[in-house]
Every structure is written in C-alpha cells, then in structure tokens.
Amino acid sequence: MPDFLQRFHFQNTPVRGELCRLNEAYRAALAKHHYPEPVAALLGQAMVAVALMTATLKLKGSLILQIQGDGPVGLIMAECNQAGDVRAIARFDADASYADTQWTTLTGVGRLLLTIEPDDGERYQGIVPLEGASLADALGHYFRQSEQLPTKFIFAADNEGAAGLMLQVLPGHNSGEDDDLWPRVTQLAATVKNEELLGVAPEQLLYRLFHEESVELFPTTALRFKCTCSRERSANALVSLGVEDLREVAAEQGGTISVDCQFCHQVYGFDAVDIEQLFQPAADAPDSVQ
Ligand SMILES: [Zn+2]
C-alpha cells in the first residue's frame, strides 16, 4: 500500500482522527544518511507527526516540526506541505552508543518547535519545552499548552516503515455532550499494537479499534518524500550572506560555492559569474526603478 494519510471523524461528535503510514517516504529520508536505528525511528515518528498535523492546517502552506535537545540526537526536523510532500533530517552524535533508546536519553533537555509557513502570509511559530517520555507525549503537551486542544498521538516505527494515529477534539469544542467520549476513544486507541499501526489496512484498523463508535472515513491522501529545495531557494540563502563574503568563500573553495541540500543531498553550484549575477538587479523586474 502506498504511503497514505487517512482522515476520519467520530460522527456527530467534535472528535476527529487521522492515521498515517510512511514506508517509501521513510526509506527515502533514511537513504544516504547512515542513521543509527533509534535515530531513524525517531525521524520516522517525526515525519508521521508532521504529516498528521499538516492535515489539520486550515490555510495553505507547510508545517515544520523541530526537536532540539542536548542529548546525542541534537536536532530532528521534519516538514510536510498540503500536497503531501514530506522531508526530514536528524543531526546526531555519531560517537554516542545508542544502547539506551529512551526518548529522554536520546533528546535530552530541549524544546519542541512547530512552525507554520503559509504560502501567503506571516509564519507562525510555537515553542514548548520537551516534556514526557516520548514524542507523542511532547506533542500532546504542545497542543495542551499552545492550542488548548486535547490531542492524543500514538507512533510506531521499525526498519521498514513509520506510522501514527492522532485523535483531537476540534477547536472551539469541549468533547461534546458525551462526556465519556474522549477518555473512551483515547483508551481504545491506546490498545493499538505497533504491528497493527504499521501493517493493517486503515479501514480494517479503524474498525478493530472503534467498532462500537460510528466512524466516518474521508478519502485517503497520498504522501511522498519530496524535497522542496531548489536552485532559487539556495540562491536566496546565499544572497542573505552578502556579496563580499560570498566572493571570499568562493575564492577559498576554488572558485565555486557548493550548496548541499541537507535533506536530499542535491548539490547546487554557484561559480564567480553566478555569484555576481545574484547581486545584479534584474533589468525588467517589476520593482525596478528604471
Ligand atoms: Zn533537497
């Protein structure tokens, strides 16, 4: 089954849910990076998390999840847009042992950042300290603290794939007239086994978990690993450094600056002529004064 996101809704209630599974996208994100197994598993969870959360965005844009800590895994960053393009990267200490695979040991003391980058408009960033014993806990804490939305995450990852389940009370509601609904569905969700999350078809899995509830399924969305880097974005990043610095770096690097995308390893080369051109005003640019 291709990588997917499955949204669902408990009928006549303010509780929504999503299921996500990434196999190909996960393997593509791991390729060429040589991540230790526990690091790869965290990266997979972060990819699933960001895909689940992107599906709840009301505006067009992308979502970036960052986990920064003082443990051996210093940074995990995962990004997804509404087209279903996911990319992710981890920075880790290659000399650490990784025998202890607990979240708190791997990430240490740190913070969780969620950035919404609308296609049009201001970016928004929320930051909370890392809390709890897992990424699921840390994200649950984020939604309680920043958004006041009861939200439950469950993740699983192995060598082949990563998957997750999210339940959330819709903004502007408490859990509705049925007081027991939220504790009931979150407890049912908590009974899911890793192999079920990673392997059972979504419709079947939702039936197994919630067969006593009325669950409405929406059409599934396809997800894929796709890097959003481009020559233009690399050029914009270079311009911000200033022409003097770029000339200097180019001279040190034998005449050409190579911008290596950390996510997909695409290399964009800028030679001396390219660098000077970056700073030439385009003759027919609409904002040109002449
Ligand atoms: Zn890239």
Side-chain angles (χ1 to χ4, degrees):
M1 182 161 193
D3 296 349
F4 69 85
L5 184 110
Q6 170 74 63
R7 291 168 55 228
F8 59 93
H9 178 236
F10 295 95
Q11 278 178 320
N12 307 315
T13 80
V15 178
R16 64 180 167 192
E18 292 168 22
L19 264 178
C20 170
R21 193 176 298 146
L22 301 174
N23 293 314
E24 265 180 55
Y26 175 55
R27 290 195 295 267
L30 301 185
K32 302 182 213 164
H33 281 284
H34 310 292
Y35 294 125
E37 224 169 273
V39 181
L42 280 190
L43 193 76
Q45 293 184 26
M47 292 173 78
V48 168
V50 81
L52 290 170
M53 292 185 287
T54 302
T56 68
L57 285 185
K58 279 192 220 74
L59 34 83
K60 268 192 161 285
S62 43
L63 192 69
I64 302 155
L65 166 67
Q66 289 178 77
I67 294 133
Q68 301 171 345
D70 63 2
V73 185
L75 173 75
I76 295 174
M77 187 172 161
E79 185 177 342
C80 184
N81 63 22
Q82 278 163 331
D85 303 330
V86 193
R87 63 178 191 166
I89 192 166
R91 294 238 170 75
F92 63 99
D93 176 359
D95 299 324
S97 90
Y98 298 101
D100 180 352
T101 61
Q102 288 187 73
W103 160 260
T104 42
T105 310
L106 293 172
T107 56
V109 176
R111 54 190 199 156
L112 182 153
L113 298 86
L114 262 186
T115 311
I116 300 171
E117 268 189 358
D119 293 344
D120 302 302
E122 294 275 299
R123 81 198 313 242
Y124 164 84
Q125 191 168 62
I127 306 175
V128 295
L130 282 186
E131 280 195 20
S134 63
L135 175 61
D137 282 357
L139 286 169
H141 173 71
Y142 176 90
F143 278 95
R144 265 196 315 280
Q145 182 148 324
S146 298
E147 318 282 334
Q148 273 95 46
L149 290 180
T151 309
K152 167 109 180 152
F153 289 91
I154 299 171
F155 298 113
D158 64 14
N159 293 330
E160 295 297 310
L165 171 65
M166 182 181 104
L167 297 179
Q168 187 170 62
V169 177
L170 288 164
H173 294 78
N174 48 34
S175 58
E177 287 165 18
D178 179 358
D179 284 342
D180 182 44
L181 175 74
W182 181 249
R184 188 170 72 239
V185 293
T186 49
Q187 274 165 27
L188 289 171
T191 64
V192 73
K193 297 184 184 71
N194 285 352
E195 58 270 27
E196 288 178 312
L197 261 187
L198 291 163
V200 176
E203 217 163 313
Q204 205 183 336
L205 179 56
L206 292 174
Y207 181 75
R208 269 192 208 180
L209 293 174
F210 305 117
H211 54 88
E212 285 178 12
E213 313 291 332
S214 306
V215 179
E216 181 189 3
L217 275 71
F218 299 99
T220 54
T221 316
L223 300 166
R224 71 208 65 81
F225 181 89
K226 189 174 170 195
C227 200
T228 45
C229 70
S230 66
R231 188 171 175 82
E232 194 190 349
R233 283 180 93 171
S234 305
N236 290 340
L238 287 180
V239 166
S240 67
L241 299 175
V243 69
E244 298 298 328
D245 281 1
L246 291 185
R247 284 178 186 147
E248 206 171 297
V249 175
E252 281 166 13
Q253 295 188 356
T256 301
I257 295 180
S258 292
V259 181
D260 181 351
C261 175
Q262 300 160 6
F263 290 91
C264 69
H265 292 293
Q266 174 73 42
V267 179
Y268 300 95
F270 294 86
D271 64 18
V273 176
D274 295 331
I275 290 164
E276 298 307 321
Q277 259 172 9
L278 292 178
F279 295 90
Q280 297 299 317
D284 54 356
D287 58 348
S288 170
V289 203
Q290 274 89 12

